[in-house]
């Protein structure tokens, strides 16, 4: 029998050769199994490490790219953030005449309303005007290209020329009260008592403010305090320069019928004239449940004498811990001179009315930039809708 030379130089007999081959095969199989297990374990560890690294890189990349503006798909740029119709905030101004200082005053107040609009729902600003104010406001809005402004939520500004109703409304006023309309305030102040006839019936509430009012806090906070059974919510001083009108109740209760039923004592009036605020105060005395008070931060008027602390911030904050708005009650005294200059107010009332000077002198361009910077991710926003309506 021929012998076979094995590796290592050692000779082996045929039987020994068979046994060694079997042993070598078993050893190779165990080695292969160990290699396979090692490979599987290595692959598993590699996948695990890769996943961990991927998540880590993704986190850092996300943080890095968060401030980088990207171009979203068309569906994203048109994304809308809606809120229920009854949650839309409504603001009301009434204006007559085209005096430049008066319009500057209104512009300052309008800026404060825009910059302090609700964060999570839309807002419509209604402006009731006579013919002169209607034209002047139209020109001013065109000059600043208001319809091209972009805001966080939908904002609409609607002007109503009520020139054709002025004589009729004054007649209704005088017949209901047996008094002439007082001329110290402009007739525009009377317009608000007919807002329930002019504004759409879907508008149930409106925050009214005189043009010498600056909003300092978010109007959405005030909107939460709506009273479903009131006619007007105002401050305990019963100043009608700022308040929350319930237009739905004014329609339902027929406001001017309530006025006719009220008693007007001439003994308390030196002249045969009264104004719209006198009407509201008399109604409030007759129906206090229809005229509840607003929170104190929404009741800050110069007539309340808080400007006595104008040069002492510590006392001012102690006596007025919260301020959501300020109302000037007219900047100067005297018939025909009310509501005319921001600078006069600042000089006379000092730091207590810094807000009036701030908004009055705030450039329209800066206001536009601030509104656009508040949009979500710098891209989701709405163009301001500007409408002009003539009421017959």
């Amino acid at each position: 029998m021929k012998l076979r030379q094995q590796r290592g130089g050692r000779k082996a007999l045929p039987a020994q050769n068979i046994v060694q081959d079997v042993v070598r095969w078993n050893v190779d199989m165990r080695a292969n199994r160990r290699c396979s297990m090692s490979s599987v374990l290595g692959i598993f560890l590699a996948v695990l490490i890769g996943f961990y690294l991927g998540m880590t890189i993704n986190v850092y990349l996300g943080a890095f790219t968060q401030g980088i503006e990207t171009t979203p798909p068309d569906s994203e740029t048109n994304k809308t953030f809606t809120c229920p119709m009854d949650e839309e905030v409504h603001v009301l101004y009434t204006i007559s005449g085209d005096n430049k200082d008066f319009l500057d005053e209104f512009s300052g107040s309008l800026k404060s309303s825009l910059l302090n609009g609700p964060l999570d729902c839309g807002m419509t600003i209604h402006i009731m005007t006579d013919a002169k104010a209607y034209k002047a406001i139209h020109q001013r809005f065109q000059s600043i290209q208001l319809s091209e402004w972009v805001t966080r939520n939908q904002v609409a500004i609607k002007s109503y020329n009520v020139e054709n109703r002025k004589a009729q409304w004054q007649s209704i006023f005088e017949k209901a009260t047996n008094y002439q309309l007082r001329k110290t305030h402009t007739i525009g102040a009377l317009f608000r008592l007919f807002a329930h006839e002019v504004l759409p019936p879907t508008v149930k509430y409106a925050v009214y403010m005189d043009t010498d009012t600056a909003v300092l806090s978010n109007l959405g906070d005030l909107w939460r305090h709506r009273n479903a059974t009131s006619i007007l919510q105002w401050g305990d001083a019963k100043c009608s320069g700022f308040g929350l009108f319930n237009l739905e109740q004014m329609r339902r209760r027929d406001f001017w019928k309530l006025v006719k039923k009220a008693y007007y004592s001439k003994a308390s009036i030196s002249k045969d004239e009264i104004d719209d605020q006198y009407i509201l105060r008399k109604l409030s005395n007759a129906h206090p449940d229809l005229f509840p008070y607003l929170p104190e931060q929404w009741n800050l008027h110069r007539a309340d004498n808080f400007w006595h602390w104008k040069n002492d911030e510590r006392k001012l904050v102690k006596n007025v811990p919260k301020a959501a708005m300020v109302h000037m009650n007219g900047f100067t005294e005297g018939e025909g001179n009310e509501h005319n200059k921001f600078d006069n107010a600042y000089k006379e009332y000092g730091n207590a009315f810094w807000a009036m000077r701030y908004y009055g002198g705030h450039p329209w361009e800066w206001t536009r930039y601030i509104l656009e910077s508040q949009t979500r991710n710098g891209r989701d926003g709405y163009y301001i809708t500007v409408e002009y309506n003539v009421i017959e």
Side-chain angles (χ1 to χ4, degrees):
M1 181 180 292
K2 187 176 180 180
L3 299 178
R4 185 172 56 182
Q5 185 73 30
Q6 297 294 322
R7 285 180 296 179
R10 188 168 70 88
K11 293 181 179 179
L13 296 174
Q16 291 176 323
N17 183 44
I18 294 172
V19 172
Q20 289 177 354
D21 286 343
V22 172
V23 172
R24 188 180 299 112
W25 181 81
N26 288 332
V27 172
D28 291 341
M29 286 298 293
R30 287 195 296 270
N32 289 336
R33 283 197 296 270
R34 285 196 299 271
C35 289
S36 298
M37 290 298 292
S38 299
S39 298
V40 172
L41 182 60
I43 293 173
F44 176 76
L45 289 174
V47 171
L48 186 62
I49 293 171
F51 177 77
Y52 173 77
L53 290 175
M55 290 295 291
T56 303
I57 293 172
N58 187 53
V59 169
Y60 281 103
L61 283 177
F64 175 75
T65 59
Q66 190 174 19
I68 299 179
E69 182 176 355
T70 58
T71 303
D74 290 341
S75 60
E76 284 295 311
T77 56
N78 295 325
K79 180 191 262 185
T80 59
F81 295 81
T82 60
C83 60
M85 177 65 73
D86 63 351
E87 289 300 320
E88 181 182 9
V89 173
H90 293 272
V91 175
L92 173 64
Y93 289 99
T94 60
I95 306 175
S96 65
D98 56 0
N99 178 276
K100 180 183 179 300
D101 290 320
F102 186 59
L103 292 173
D104 288 344
E105 173 185 296
F106 161 69
S107 296
S109 184
L110 177 62
K111 294 170 194 175
S112 76
S113 293
L114 289 171
L115 292 173
N116 292 285
L119 296 175
D120 299 313
C121 65
M123 177 173 65
T124 298
I125 298 175
H126 306 271
I127 311 169
M128 296 174 63
T129 73
D130 63 7
K132 288 184 177 180
Y134 183 80
K135 180 179 179 180
I137 288 173
H138 191 178
Q139 293 174 343
R140 184 159 296 201
F141 287 171
Q142 283 189 322
S143 69
I144 62 173
Q145 300 177 316
L146 187 60
S147 61
E148 297 181 14
W149 290 25
V150 176
T151 55
R152 174 186 177 90
N153 300 303
Q154 183 65 68
V155 173
I157 299 180
K158 300 182 179 182
S159 298
Y160 307 85
N161 181 349
V162 298
E163 181 71 29
N164 297 325
R165 299 280 187 96
K166 282 172 56 176
Q168 176 190 357
W169 288 349
Q170 184 168 345
S171 176
I172 291 174
F173 174 95
E174 294 176 351
K175 288 180 180 179
T177 64
N178 293 318
Y179 284 95
Q180 294 180 352
L181 179 64
R182 185 182 172 202
K183 298 299 193 299
T184 301
H185 286 79
T186 65
I187 194 172
L190 177 65
F191 295 167
R192 57 184 162 177
L193 300 188
F194 293 91
H196 60 291
E197 297 181 6
V198 174
L199 272 57
T202 54
V203 181
K204 299 178 181 180
Y205 302 86
V207 180
Y208 170 82
M209 64 186 81
D210 281 354
T211 54
D212 59 340
T213 301
V215 181
L216 308 180
S217 185
N218 190 279
L219 285 167
D221 173 68
L222 174 61
W223 206 244
R224 294 188 299 106
H225 297 284
R226 289 166 295 167
N227 186 310
T229 61
S230 68
I231 282 182
L232 171 64
Q233 295 169 254
W234 55 358
D236 55 4
K238 298 183 179 181
C239 176
S240 62
F242 185 91
L244 181 52
F245 277 97
N246 186 331
L247 303 181
E248 188 174 40
Q249 284 296 326
M250 292 178 74
R251 300 180 187 110
R252 182 177 299 172
R253 294 177 178 273
D254 196 340
F255 176 78
W256 285 100
K257 282 187 177 180
L258 288 178
V259 173
K260 289 178 182 179
K261 293 178 181 179
Y263 174 73
Y264 296 93
S265 173
K266 291 192 177 183
S268 63
I269 305 174
S270 58
K271 298 180 180 180
D272 290 335
E273 297 178 338
I274 61 173
D275 57 22
D276 56 302
Q277 180 169 269
Y278 183 81
I279 287 179
L280 293 172
R281 287 182 173 179
K282 294 295 287 187
L283 284 177
S284 174
N285 293 337
H287 306 279
D289 56 315
L290 300 181
F291 291 80
Y293 297 149
L294 288 171
E296 61 179 9
Q297 63 266 28
W298 293 100
N299 177 34
L300 205 58
H301 305 269
R302 176 173 66 90
D304 295 335
N305 297 326
F306 75 89
W307 74 87
H308 290 316
W309 308 294
K310 62 184 180 182
N311 296 319
D312 191 327
E313 182 177 340
R314 183 181 59 83
K315 289 184 179 180
L316 177 63
V317 173
K318 180 180 179 180
N319 288 276
V320 187
K322 298 178 182 179
M325 49 72 67
V326 289
H327 171 224
M328 287 296 298
N329 294 97
F331 289 162
T332 58
E333 301 298 332
E335 185 171 336
N337 290 324
E338 295 191 10
H339 312 286
N340 60 5
K341 287 187 181 296
F342 282 90
D343 286 342
N344 287 351
Y346 188 78
K347 292 175 182 177
E348 184 175 355
Y349 305 115
N351 294 334
F353 288 97
W354 61 267
M356 300 306 302
R357 183 164 185 168
Y358 170 76
Y359 287 114
H362 202 282
W364 283 109
E365 292 81 1
W366 292 7
T367 305
R368 177 177 182 174
Y369 168 73
I370 293 173
L371 291 173
E372 292 181 353
S373 71
Q374 294 172 350
T375 57
R376 297 168 179 84
N377 302 322
R379 65 172 185 261
D380 295 322
Y382 302 83
Y383 286 110
I384 291 180
T385 301
V386 182
E387 295 182 10
Y388 301 94
N389 307 279
V390 177
I391 306 301
E392 298 299 335

